[in-house]
Amino acid sequence: MSNSRDPHALARLVREGRRYWASPAGQALWKSERACLGPVCERLVGQHSLELGMAPMLSDICPIRHALGWSPSREMAEHESTLVCPPDALPLPDDSLSLVVVHHLLEVVTEPHHMLQEAARVTADNGRLIIFGWFPLSAGGLSRAWPGRRRRMPWRGHWRSPGRLGDWLAFVDFEIERVDYCGFHLPGSLPRNTMLETLGRRHNLPLGDSYMIHARRRAQLAQSQRPRFELARPLTGPALGSASRVEPQPERNRNGD
């Protein structure tokens, strides 16, 4: 795994991840996950969103005005609306984003708790936090037992169940609204079987290669009295590549394990 504070190691990890997502298997699963995210996006509105991951952006289908991507370095940034920073130290104000998507990154960073805390911190009270993860009990998860696979993408890292991530989310005052499963296929085949994908998603069977967690902040009476922060203007170009850490805001409970 990579150290999220080591920019060179993190860049190598992201390059490896991008190679997987550009492969036929990665593209097939990416399309399945994009189809899962589509109905969620239809119900979202807002000014700003952020996607943390190694694959091509999924959340650009959402009707949010300004979509930020993420990169560990300027050289790897694919467009000007890219946030360049460690994934566990986001240079953004509290409660500033209507949507945050964490796409298969919690499995491979060495500080997943801190990364999740940061993603929760910048998600607005009425926003949504979406987490894509690998399902340990899927065909892909069981195939990780084959020799050498855990050293390669996408099988490397720590695969956690939605229930385990639900415990983590509770520590940052978020709760799971729903879990959807994506990427249904027979062992040894790609998730391109339309019939299996349709049946799996219709009945939301816990058999897909990946899952999508919809999470929102727990209701708090004090929220209406808390100061709100918004980005005064879209962050583009050099402002993103040279973004510095904002002055820390009062912290929520971050003592989660």
Side-chain angles (χ1 to χ4, degrees), residues 126-189:
N126 61 348
R128 289 295 180 269
L129 175 59
I130 303 292
I131 300 173
F132 284 92
W134 298 107
F135 188 45
L137 300 181
S138 66
L142 297 177
S143 72
R144 296 176 75 214
W146 294 1
R149 276 208 165 179
R150 295 196 182 206
R151 295 193 296 269
R152 306 195 311 270
M153 287 290 188
W155 300 282
R156 66 187 299 175
H158 294 288
W159 290 20
R160 302 173 180 92
S161 68
R164 181 58 174 159
L165 288 184
D167 294 337
W168 287 18
L169 286 164
F171 282 114
V172 292
D173 295 326
F174 271 69
E175 60 185 359
I176 294 178
E177 281 189 314
R178 179 180 170 88
V179 178
D180 286 311
Y181 295 89
C182 320
F184 299 90
H185 62 96
L186 296 174
S189 66

Side-chain angles (χ1 to χ4, degrees), residues 38-246:
V40 179
C41 283
E42 293 175 358
R43 302 189 295 270
L44 292 176
V45 294
Q47 296 290 328
H48 307 282
S49 68
L50 171 65
E51 184 167 333
L52 299 163
M54 299 174 284
M57 187 174 288
L58 292 167
S59 56
D60 57 357
I61 61 175
C62 298
I64 292 179
R65 296 183 181 179
H66 184 224
L68 291 170
W70 169 81
S71 173
S73 68
R74 292 191 187 191
E75 294 75 19
M76 298 181 69
E78 296 181 328
H79 50 78
E80 64 177 12
S81 293
T82 299
L83 196 65
V84 178
C85 63
D88 57 359
L90 304 177
L92 297 171
D94 291 1
D95 309 327
S96 56
L97 303 176
S98 302
L99 171 67
V100 176
V101 177
V102 179
H103 186 262
H104 296 290
L105 207 53
L106 288 174
E107 292 92 341
V108 292
V109 296
T110 55
E111 298 290 343
H113 300 87
H114 295 167
M115 181 181 168
L116 184 61
Q117 288 168 359
E118 279 292 272
R121 178 184 66 80
V122 299
T123 303
D125 290 344
N126 61 348
R128 289 295 180 269
L129 175 59
I130 303 292
I131 300 173
F132 284 92
W134 298 107
F135 188 45
L137 300 181
S138 66
L142 297 177
S143 72
R144 296 176 75 214
W146 294 1
R149 276 208 165 179
R150 295 196 182 206
R151 295 193 296 269
R152 306 195 311 270
M153 287 290 188
W155 300 282
R156 66 187 299 175
H158 294 288
W159 290 20
R160 302 173 180 92
S161 68
R164 181 58 174 159
L165 288 184
D167 294 337
W168 287 18
L169 286 164
F171 282 114
V172 292
D173 295 326
F174 271 69
E175 60 185 359
I176 294 178
E177 281 189 314
R178 179 180 170 88
V179 178
D180 286 311
Y181 295 89
C182 320
F184 299 90
H185 62 96
L186 296 174
S189 66
L190 299 181
R192 291 175 175 168
N193 189 309
T194 303
M195 182 181 70
L196 285 179
E197 193 72 21
T198 300
L199 289 175
R201 290 183 56 199
R202 178 181 299 166
H203 301 287
N204 202 22
L205 301 174
L207 299 173
D209 276 353
S210 66
Y211 56 81
M212 179 178 68
I213 290 176
H214 316 223
R216 65 177 177 84
R217 194 178 306 284
R218 288 176 172 174
Q220 297 178 4
L221 294 177
Q223 284 181 352
S224 60
Q225 300 176 0
R226 186 169 57 195
R228 295 299 302 276
F229 297 88
E230 292 188 2
L231 300 178
R233 57 188 176 86
L235 296 176
T236 57
L240 294 178
S242 59
S244 59
R245 186 81 168 130
V246 297

Side-chain angles (χ1 to χ4, degrees), residues 19-33 55 134 190-191:
R19 284 195 294 270
Y20 165 73
W21 289 106
S23 70
Q27 281 289 294
L29 181 60
W30 182 86
K31 290 177 182 177
S32 296
E33 293 180 336
W134 298 107
L190 299 181

